[in-house]
Amino acid sequence: MRRTTRTLAIAVGLLSIGLATACSPSDPDAGSGSGDAQRLTIGTTADVVNYNPLVGNSRTDTWVTNLMYPRLMGMGLDGARTPYLATEWAYAPDGKSAKVTLRDDFTWTDGEKVTADDVVFTIKAIAAEKIGVVAGLIPAFQQATALSPTEVEFTLAEPDGTFLENVGFWMPVVPEHVFSKVGKVAEFANDTDWVSAGPYQLTSVERGQRYVLKKVENYPLVEGGPKTAEVVFRVFPDVNTEALALRNGEIDLIANALPPALAKTLEGDSKLKLVKVPSLGWAHMQYNLARKPLDKLEVRQALAAAVDYEAIRRVALQGSAVSSNSSVLTPTLKQWQDTSATEYAYDPARARQLLTGAGFTDGNGDGLFDGLSLRMIYDQADPNIAKWAQLVRDSGKEAGIDIKLEGLERNTYLAKTKERDFDIYAGSWAIMENPPANLTLAFKCEGFINYANACDPALDKLIDESRSYLDQPSQKTAIQAAAKIISDQVYDNVLYVEEFTFAHSAQWSNFLVQPSELLSIVNPQSLAQATAG
């Protein structure tokens, strides 16, 4: 069997950041930051929507439930998997089965041991009820068997070299002895009497105000258990209010990534520390191939040539982003990156030539091509996209393209995206860390998040080929060829990869940095080992 073994202590040592300074005492009942070494207070801009970790999908859902439900694997800064609940994982030589070895020192807070039965129950429930994104990531899964309390064997219908990493990182493990009694797992609210095997356990909720978690004494991944007695998430209306609360000492950390302009205003504050975190996703525009004239390659090429990429990164992101060279294989994932990829050139004149060649004319001489008015939707609450959407509209006019902006409330935006009710979709992926699996979801015919409605047999063949290999070096050639098709056919216009900035009180140190806005320094191991003073 191909074996992958990593040492958690090494990963923690490489990624930890120490930023220790002096601290001051505070009223332990105030619910504020103020340097209280026994309470870490974190700002967020949203309530928990769902306490069931298998179905929750908001950022606050993830931050809170990640502290209670362990995953098999963690992640390094380059997207590579690291041990968490699992210590080793491997495929059989034929790729049709895989085994995972678990630690034997995780315990649920009601006294039950975390065992292979919990893992087996979790994946079976996900597969049977088709729960969340994990269900879409494990198409080859057939069966799971507990070989011992610390060994799980997975049976696969066909070789799938993405299976272990997908299950390892994306699947929270839930307690079988609790969730098996609730009927349909996907419908379980899990909104009281929480049972945890992470570093903290949720104890009280004041919706719209705060979520209080107390430490789990026997959490095994930090020597001596979590360093801080309580973690409190406080809800604020927006990130600017969070920043004011951080400066005033009311909170210790902001969970949300800071907009670039706000981050710059905090740089000179000696009471704060800023942490840079690489994104695992990318910001992009997708053109709806199911709508004319976007089904024409020349039109998509013209749209790509009508975007001033450098201006977007310089003006809208204020330099806190890098080019991905118009590739879905981003520079964060250096082990996958195709160094020969080049960014689409901003060239309004070429865009006009392409559109003229495609049969478009400007009959009334207003500078815009007749019959080429496209509607671009975006989340109006996203400050970065709201800025660059206007730049795209303005540069589009130079190329003779009328782009009408439609900034939407987030739930409406998500609904229209899911229904493919747009000409151009402007958005960003948060975590795209496993290209063979990610491209399956985003670009294969009928892919779960194939918002562009792309359907290209040659592309599908390459993606399937990459998944059939059991190791990353073998997968790389096929997936790079797939990424080139996506770029050449303009199935996705990747604008940039953001570098996120997070802020915390300088009185706190020893956070563990992990990539993406969801992990950042608000991940279980980070909060468990953070200290004040």
Side-chain angles (χ1 to χ4, degrees):
M1 301 183 81
R2 182 179 67 87
R3 184 165 298 278
T4 305
T5 307
R6 297 180 177 89
T7 304
L8 182 62
I10 294 176
V12 171
L14 289 174
L15 298 179
S16 294
I17 57 171
L19 302 167
T21 59
C23 67
S24 59
S26 70
D27 177 2
D29 299 319
S32 63
S34 306
D36 184 353
Q38 292 306 305
R39 178 187 296 112
L40 176 61
T41 305
I42 302 171
T44 180
T45 56
D47 277 293
V48 174
V49 177
N50 200 311
Y51 300 93
N52 183 334
L54 302 182
V55 299
N57 57 17
S58 81
R59 289 186 180 95
T60 310
D61 291 0
T62 302
W63 290 326
V64 170
T65 59
N66 269 357
L67 293 176
M68 295 192 289
Y69 301 97
R71 299 176 188 243
L72 294 173
M73 304 173 195
M75 185 180 292
L77 281 173
D78 60 355
R81 302 304 190 267
T82 58
Y84 194 148
L85 178 58
T87 59
E88 297 180 359
W89 47 91
Y91 291 99
D94 64 1
K96 290 188 176 182
S97 66
K99 288 183 181 178
V100 169
T101 301
L102 310 178
R103 296 178 66 112
D104 63 0
D105 52 0
F106 269 77
T107 304
W108 299 105
T109 47
D110 61 2
E112 296 280 344
K113 294 282 289 185
V114 179
T115 70
D117 289 334
D118 296 311
V119 177
V120 169
F121 170 81
T122 302
I123 194 169
K124 283 185 174 181
I126 289 170
E129 299 183 33
K130 295 182 171 24
I131 303 173
V133 68
V134 178
L137 289 169
I138 56 171
F141 172 74
Q142 284 190 322
Q143 184 59 269
T145 306
L147 303 179
S148 75
T150 58
E151 272 195 308
V152 181
E153 182 175 60
F154 303 102
T155 304
L156 307 179
E158 59 186 6
D160 181 356
T162 71
F163 174 81
L164 280 173
E165 290 198 354
N166 285 338
V167 169
F169 175 71
W170 286 101
M171 187 181 79
V173 176
V174 299
E176 185 270 344
H177 64 284
V178 175
F179 279 62
S180 64
K181 300 174 182 177
V182 302
K184 281 196 172 183
V185 171
E187 297 176 1
F188 179 39
N190 192 38
D191 55 1
T192 187
D193 298 326
W194 295 280
V195 175
S196 173
Y200 291 90
Q201 178 185 21
L202 189 60
T203 57
S204 68
V205 170
E206 298 173 57
R207 188 165 178 79
Q209 298 295 321
R210 72 193 71 237
Y211 298 80
V212 180
L213 299 99
K214 69 176 182 180
K215 76 174 183 179
V216 174
E217 297 287 350
N218 59 351
Y219 179 66
L221 296 187
V222 173
E223 186 176 356
K227 304 304 181 185
T228 303
E230 272 188 356
V231 168
V232 179
F233 285 86
R234 281 188 55 190
V235 183
F236 292 85
D238 54 60
V239 69
N240 291 315
T241 312
E242 287 179 309
L244 181 61
L246 181 64
R247 279 183 145 165
N248 291 340
E250 297 173 35
I251 61 176
D252 303 303
L253 188 158
I254 297 176
N256 316 86
L258 302 176
L262 178 57
K264 286 190 178 298
T265 68
L266 300 180
E267 284 179 351
D269 192 328
S270 62
K271 296 183 296 183
L272 307 180
K273 292 290 184 179
L274 302 186
V275 180
K276 301 291 186 179
V277 176
S279 172
L280 283 171
W282 61 81
H284 60 151
M285 290 185 292
Q286 290 193 295
Y287 311 115
N288 192 342
L289 275 68
R291 294 189 174 184
K292 295 182 181 300
L294 296 166
D295 58 334
K296 291 185 177 182
L297 175 59
E298 297 91 339
V299 173
R300 301 195 301 276
Q301 289 174 327
L303 284 162
V307 178
D308 189 340
Y309 303 95
E310 183 56 36
I312 286 174
R313 294 189 289 267
R314 185 183 69 254
V315 177
L317 276 296
Q318 299 196 12
S320 61
V322 297
S323 172
S324 188
N325 292 319
S326 298
S327 174
V328 294
L329 302 177
T330 72
T332 302
L333 306 177
K334 290 183 170 53
Q335 66 272 36
W336 294 99
Q337 190 180 17
D338 182 355
T339 56
S340 69
T342 57
E343 186 167 70
Y344 300 133
Y346 172 48
D347 191 343
R350 180 173 182 271
R352 286 183 176 273
Q353 291 173 353
L354 286 163
L355 292 170
T356 299
F360 289 92
T361 60
D362 178 10
N364 60 10
D366 66 353
L368 299 174
F369 287 101
D370 302 334
L372 189 59
S373 181
L374 302 171
R375 180 170 60 95
M376 183 166 83
I377 66 169
Y378 64 95
D379 179 1
Q380 64 187 6
D382 188 310
N384 293 339
I385 296 178
K387 286 180 181 177
W388 62 250
Q390 298 177 48
L391 297 177
V392 169
R393 177 197 60 197
D394 295 345
S395 62
K397 284 182 180 178
E398 294 184 38
I401 305 168
D402 180 27
I403 297 176
K404 297 188 182 300
L405 302 184
E406 191 170 328
L408 303 169
E409 179 273 329
R410 181 163 180 78
N411 288 333
T412 304
Y413 164 75
L414 293 175
K416 286 185 177 292
T417 299
K418 185 177 180 181
E419 295 161 6
R420 279 57 167 179
D421 182 11
F422 59 83
D423 297 317
I424 305 174
Y425 153 85
S428 62
W429 297 129
I431 298 181
M432 300 290 266
E433 85 310 339
N434 187 343
N438 304 146
L439 301 196
T440 297
L441 291 174
F443 297 103
K444 280 195 65 175
C445 299
E446 306 300 324
F448 181 66
I449 52 174
N450 183 353
Y451 299 147
N453 288 303
C455 191
D456 186 327
L459 177 59
D460 283 10
K461 183 178 179 181
L462 286 166
I463 294 172
D464 289 340
E465 179 186 342
S466 72
R467 291 184 71 122
S468 71
Y469 296 116
L470 304 181
D471 62 287
Q472 186 269 332
S474 299
Q475 295 170 339
K476 184 175 181 177
T477 299
I479 215 63
Q480 286 187 342
K484 189 174 189 308
I485 289 178
I486 292 167
S487 178
D488 290 347
Q489 296 296 315
V490 200
Y491 292 146
D492 199 351
N493 189 353
V494 182
L495 305 178
Y496 59 83
V497 177
E498 188 171 357
E499 183 181 52
F500 297 118
T501 302
F502 294 86
H504 66 84
S505 166
Q507 295 173 344
W508 286 82
S509 63
N510 299 320
F511 292 104
L512 170 68
V513 180
Q514 293 183 342
S516 82
E517 185 177 12
L518 285 177
L519 296 174
S520 62
I521 55 174
V522 189
N523 62 75
Q525 291 161 255
S526 177
L527 300 186
Q529 70 183 40
T531 55

